[in-house]
Amino acid sequence: MIEIRKANNEDQSEILKIYNETTLHLLKRKIKQWDYPWDAENIQKEIKKNEAYVVLLNRTLVGAFCISPIKKLSTITIDPEGVYLSKIAILPKFQGKNLGSEVVQFACSFARQQNLALYLDCWAGNEKLKEFYSDNSLEYIGDFPEEDYFISIFKHQ
């Protein structure tokens, strides 16, 4: 059984493990989605702001993500009334079980209930993730510069 809920302080160490393990898995595949290691203090801040969520499968914490108010994404200004879905991480051994789609659908429903647009992004070189987003009814907006690389931005209205 899949459950998605807001993260709490007791989840912090598990969330940190999930992000670090997922990031190492991506780096081994030469996907530069995130920096390693993750900062526990940033995760704590997201939990305090009620922006962090966890994914449980049969009561086991297997994933995490954030939904936050949007101000600016990359060098383009996006609808300030939107929300930003970020940091979707599913432990590698639980990937391929439709959990990522559950997260995207949860976030789309969250945004729809509040009458907001939902945005998300990924490293422009991550073709598999870009295909996943498109397959989950997200509209590709374009590629935009971000520091020393490009990000692909997607939207759900």
Side-chain angles (χ1 to χ4, degrees):
M1 184 173 115
I2 298 169
E3 178 189 353
I4 296 176
R5 65 165 170 79
K6 287 206 177 194
N8 58 51
N9 290 329
E10 291 77 36
D11 298 322
Q12 182 179 348
S13 64
E14 284 300 310
I15 292 170
L16 183 62
K17 287 179 191 175
I18 288 168
Y19 282 132
N20 282 327
E21 187 175 327
T22 303
T23 301
L24 286 175
H25 181 71
L26 291 170
L27 291 171
K28 284 179 188 172
R29 294 172 32 222
K30 305 212 183 314
I31 297 172
K32 305 168 193 167
Q33 187 71 24
W34 297 316
D35 291 329
Y36 177 85
W38 283 77
D39 181 355
E41 191 174 301
N42 285 340
I43 293 170
Q44 182 61 38
K45 286 178 187 175
E46 290 167 341
I47 291 171
K48 271 189 166 172
K49 292 191 293 185
N50 286 316
E51 296 175 356
Y53 292 80
V54 292
V55 179
L56 295 98
L57 181 62
N58 299 322
R59 298 186 184 164
T60 301
L61 208 152
V62 299
F65 63 96
C66 291
I67 300 177
S68 55
I70 198 159
K71 295 172 186 72
K72 183 178 174 183
L73 188 57
S74 182
T75 57
I76 63 168
T77 301
I78 295 183
D79 182 0
E81 298 300 316
V83 289
Y84 176 51
L85 172 59
S86 64
K87 302 178 188 96
I88 303 170
I90 304 295
L91 285 171
K93 67 181 178 182
F94 292 100
Q95 292 175 7
K97 298 183 185 306
N98 210 33
L99 298 173
S101 293
E102 292 281 342
V103 167
V104 170
Q105 295 313 309
F106 175 90
C108 289
S109 179
F110 174 92
R112 199 171 26 256
Q113 288 171 0
Q114 297 187 35
N115 202 28
L116 299 171
L118 173 77
Y119 292 89
L120 61 160
D121 66 16
C122 66
W123 173 55
N126 192 341
E127 295 300 326
K128 187 174 180 180
L129 188 55
K130 289 165 56 175
E131 182 180 328
F132 169 79
Y133 289 158
S134 294
D135 289 347
N136 279 275
S137 304
L138 299 168
E139 176 189 356
Y140 171 72
I141 303 297
D143 290 346
F144 300 90
E146 178 76 19
E147 296 174 21
D148 61 343
Y149 56 93
F150 280 81
I151 60 171
S152 297
I153 297 179
F154 292 81
K155 176 182 181 181
H156 181 270
Q157 188 71 36

